[in-house]
Amino acid sequence: MADEISSELKQKVIDYLKTVSKAKNKEVAHELGIDKHLVDKAISELSKEGKIEYLYLGASFIKLKDT
């Protein structure tokens, strides 16, 4: 069950990132109305899967990886 929730959350993160050029983790959590700790975990998994990348522009941002 946790994996299903995680997959759903990861898809929500991806869908949100399609609407912006980049975002901070806390912005994603706020926009999705989901606890930041859960969003951090989903973002970490998406990064390991190669679907998103981190940007360091004075602060940490995430964005969808260019395909």
Side-chain angles (χ1 to χ4, degrees), residues 2-3 6 9-10 25 35-48 54:
D3 287 339
S6 181
L9 176 56
K10 288 191 287 187
N25 290 19
D35 183 78
K36 184 180 176 294
H37 176 73
L38 295 174
V39 170
D40 286 345
K41 186 174 178 179
I43 288 170
S44 176
E45 290 181 14
L46 286 166
S47 177
K48 289 177 186 173
Y54 288 94

Side-chain angles (χ1 to χ4, degrees), residues 22-64:
K22 64 183 182 305
K24 294 181 180 179
N25 290 19
K26 68 180 181 182
E27 294 171 345
V28 176
H30 177 76
E31 289 298 320
L32 298 180
I34 297 173
D35 183 78
K36 184 180 176 294
H37 176 73
L38 295 174
V39 170
D40 286 345
K41 186 174 178 179
I43 288 170
S44 176
E45 290 181 14
L46 286 166
S47 177
K48 289 177 186 173
E49 293 170 8
K51 295 180 180 175
I52 64 169
E53 62 184 306
Y54 288 94
L55 301 172
Y56 299 101
L57 306 169
S60 295
F61 293 89
I62 54 170
K63 67 175 238 161
L64 288 176

